[in-house]
């Protein structure tokens, strides 16, 4: 995560906590009672956001409201829990109460609603019919643009941060930072916003960065769109167990920004794990002095399984990736003999320096990787043996 942005997140934590409390209250009370809406804390929050002059206050609030209409995953849902109000119910409540605050909410929803054309059009038509004066940035929300993208990444590829430079219709700028964790299915793990230009954010981040293996580079917006869409799609296939102060409450806001970016017009997007051919690399390894002792079909299959875990990159191995790999005991497969499964730590001790030499990873990072292997090797072997005994009993 960009160090320079951490303070901004801390400053917003108290406000976010209040918002989350109101969201929980809204779920229990089913906000969609129009006769009570004018006196609801939500209206006060919207009024405060508009008067504060920071667009992110209102945008973040609407993003959170949309997420509040999404039922929690079944695994995380207490028994007999009522469904939250639907987005359609919220829009109906906002339409029924004609005050400036609901007009502002509908104006944002007219851009944020993505899966329901009819609902989005209802929001737009109501805003147009009221004809109320909105702040220029809000009245021209459809003219918002993502004008620049920077990518902050580490040489070992465990994750990357995409910094999106956002320009509103009135010229105000802000920066969205989205962290993609490649150790966890290449999914979005966090996203937050800074009310500064992307040039300012990048300059501060570079000045505070002390890691020689972290780099900043321009990223083609179309490529960034593909990366972000892929990362968000991962979370649709599994329940979201981890939350931060700003994620996943900012998910609809990030989705809106993605739609403002150009569609990919280049050939097929090449992901990090597709950047090298593992087969040719393994051929070279198993014919090298370091790999010859392991040159058999079972060790090769074992290494292929290990490569597929985490980032999927065969050339870059962080200490975190190796600890994760060995703690999961990836080799639990009936078609790999136990003796070869137990060899995984030593196999990795031989392969990681070979891979890092091919990719130019500096020696200090390789030493950290080998130390991580040694630290968890005994625990890994114990888990493998225990699992094998359990399977024999079954």
């Amino acid at each position: 995560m960009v160090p320079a942005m951490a303070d901004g997140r801390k400053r917003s934590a108290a406000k976010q906590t209040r918002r989350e409390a109101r969201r929980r209250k809204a779920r229990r009370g089913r906000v969609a009672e129009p006769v009570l809406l004018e006196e609801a804390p939500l209206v006060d929050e919207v009024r405060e956001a508009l008067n504060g002059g920071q667009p992110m206050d209102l945008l973040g609030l609407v993003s959170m409201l949309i997420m509040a209409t999404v039922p929690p995953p079944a695994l995380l849902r207490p028994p007999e829990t009522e469904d939250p109000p639907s987005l359609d119910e919220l829009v109906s409540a906002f339409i029924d109460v004609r005050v400036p605050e609901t007009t502002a909410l509908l104006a944002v929803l007219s851009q944020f609603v993505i899966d329901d054309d009819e609902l989005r059009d209802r929001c737009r038509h109501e805003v147009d019919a009221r004809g109320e004066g909105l702040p220029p940035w809000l009245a021209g929300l459809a003219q918002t643009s993502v004008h620049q993208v920077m990518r902050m990444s580490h040489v070992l590829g465990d994750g990357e941060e995409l910094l999106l430079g956002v320009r509103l219709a009135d010229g105000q700028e802000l920066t969205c930072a989205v962290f993609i964790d490649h150790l966890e299915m290449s999914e979005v793990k966090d996203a937050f916003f800074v009310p500064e230009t992307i040039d300012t954010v990048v300059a501060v981040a570079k000045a505070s960065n002390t890691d020689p293996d972290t780099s900043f580079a321009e990223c083609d917006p179309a490529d960034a769109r593909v990366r972000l869409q892929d990362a968000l799609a991962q979370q649709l296939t599994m329940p979201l167990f981890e939350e931060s102060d700003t994620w996943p409450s900012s998910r609809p806001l990030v989705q809106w920004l993605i739609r403002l970016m150009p569609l990919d017009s280049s050939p097929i997007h090449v992901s990090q794990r597709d950047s090298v051919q593992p087969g040719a690399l393994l051929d070279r390894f198993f014919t090298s002095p370091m790999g010859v002792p392991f040159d058999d079909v079972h060790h090769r299959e074992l290494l292929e399984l290990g490569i597929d875990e985490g980032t999927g990159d065969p050339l870059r191995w962080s200490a975190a990736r190796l600890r994760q790999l060995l703690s999961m005991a990836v080799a639990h497969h009936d078609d790999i003999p136990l003796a070869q499964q137990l060899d995984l730590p030593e196999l990795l001790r031989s392969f990681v320096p070979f891979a890092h030499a091919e990719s130019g990873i500096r020696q200090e990072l390789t030493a950290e990787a080998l130390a991580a292997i040694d630290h968890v090797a005994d625990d890994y072997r114990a888990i493998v043996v225990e699992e094998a005994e359990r399977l024999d009993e079954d």
Side-chain angles (χ1 to χ4, degrees):
M1 190 63 64
V2 175
M5 299 179 188
D7 291 342
R9 289 184 61 187
K10 292 177 182 177
R11 287 195 297 270
S12 66
K15 181 176 287 187
Q16 187 68 29
T17 299
R18 294 195 297 271
R19 288 176 177 172
E20 292 292 344
R22 288 169 180 169
R23 180 178 70 175
R24 289 191 292 270
K25 184 176 181 179
R27 283 181 174 178
R28 290 194 299 270
R30 299 186 67 81
V31 180
E33 291 191 31
V35 295
L36 300 178
L37 187 57
E38 285 188 83
E39 302 176 1
L42 174 61
V43 171
D44 294 336
E45 185 84 12
V46 174
R47 187 180 302 117
E48 179 185 344
L50 290 170
N51 292 338
Q54 285 288 350
M56 265 311 305
D57 290 342
L58 180 60
L59 297 176
L61 176 60
V62 175
S63 183
M64 185 187 67
L65 283 173
I66 293 174
M67 288 302 297
T69 68
V70 179
L75 292 176
L76 304 179
R77 188 171 183 172
E80 301 179 0
T81 301
E82 289 188 11
D83 287 337
S86 69
L87 192 55
D88 186 85
E89 289 176 305
L90 289 182
V91 168
S92 295
F94 299 156
I95 290 176
D96 288 342
V97 177
R98 297 175 64 91
V99 295
E101 291 78 11
T102 58
T103 305
L105 290 170
L106 291 167
V108 180
L109 285 168
S110 72
Q111 300 300 314
F112 279 20
V113 174
I114 60 175
D115 297 325
D116 191 329
D117 292 344
E118 182 179 350
L119 186 61
R120 183 171 60 250
D121 289 342
R122 283 180 64 200
C123 295
R124 290 174 178 169
H125 292 158
E126 180 65 21
V127 172
D128 292 342
R130 294 184 185 186
E132 296 180 8
L134 295 171
W137 71 266
L138 183 52
L141 196 58
Q143 281 71 56
T144 303
S145 64
V146 177
H147 65 91
Q148 184 181 5
V149 181
M150 294 290 291
R151 179 172 176 259
M152 188 181 90
S153 58
H154 189 273
V155 68
L156 293 178
D158 287 359
E160 63 181 324
E161 194 140 29
L162 294 177
L163 308 178
L164 314 181
V166 182
R167 183 175 292 127
L168 299 171
D170 65 349
Q172 292 190 74
E173 295 192 23
L174 53 92
T175 302
C176 171
V178 185
F179 179 68
I180 301 175
D181 187 346
H182 293 301
L183 288 178
E184 295 290 342
M185 302 296 292
S186 291
E187 64 179 349
V188 174
K189 269 304 185 65
D190 205 359
F192 63 94
F193 291 77
V194 181
E196 300 285 352
T197 68
I198 187 171
D199 289 341
T200 299
V201 170
V202 172
V204 174
K206 286 182 176 179
S208 61
N209 177 51
T210 59
D211 187 348
D213 300 298
T214 295
S215 62
F216 297 80
E218 288 270 0
C219 183
D220 177 65
D223 178 67
R225 176 172 181 154
V226 174
R227 290 174 182 270
L228 290 169
Q229 286 176 326
D230 288 349
L232 288 178
Q234 291 293 340
Q235 291 172 327
L236 298 178
T237 63
M238 63 191 71
L240 182 65
F241 290 97
E242 296 184 20
E243 295 187 5
S244 73
D245 292 339
T246 53
W247 188 259
S249 62
S250 60
R251 181 186 176 102
L253 181 47
V254 173
Q255 289 176 312
W256 172 61
L257 293 180
I258 291 173
R259 296 199 308 279
L260 301 180
M261 300 161 74
L263 292 170
D264 186 14
S265 58
S266 62
I268 297 175
H269 170 70
V270 178
S271 68
Q272 177 181 337
R273 67 181 60 199
D274 294 330
S275 61
V276 65
Q277 296 298 323
L281 177 67
L282 295 187
D283 288 342
R284 293 195 298 275
F285 169 68
F286 284 114
T287 56
S288 72
M290 291 181 288
V292 165
F294 304 99
D295 187 16
D296 62 69
V297 63
H298 295 304
H299 281 110
R300 186 181 183 109
E301 182 179 359
L302 186 63
L303 187 52
E304 289 173 344
L305 290 170
I307 288 173
D308 286 341
E309 295 296 326
T311 67
D313 189 334
L315 290 176
R316 295 170 174 82
W317 296 82
S318 68
R321 180 184 177 189
L322 289 161
R323 284 193 295 267
Q324 176 177 288
L325 171 65
L326 291 171
S327 67
M328 295 189 324
V330 68
H332 288 161
H333 291 270
D334 294 339
D335 53 348
I336 300 179
L338 179 60
Q340 277 76 21
Q341 294 187 42
L342 294 174
D343 281 344
L344 182 57
E346 288 305 315
L347 175 58
L348 290 170
R349 275 197 124 272
S350 295
F351 179 70
V352 169
F354 175 88
H356 281 190
E358 291 233 343
S359 55
I361 303 298
R362 63 189 180 93
Q363 182 58 41
E364 289 84 352
L365 295 180
T366 302
E368 291 176 6
L370 296 179
I373 295 172
D374 293 340
H375 183 71
V376 297
D378 289 342
D379 289 341
Y380 163 81
R381 295 188 186 97
I383 294 173
V384 170
V385 170
E386 180 180 349
E387 179 67 11
E389 292 175 346
R390 185 189 66 79
L391 292 174
D392 288 342
E393 292 175 357
D394 293 344

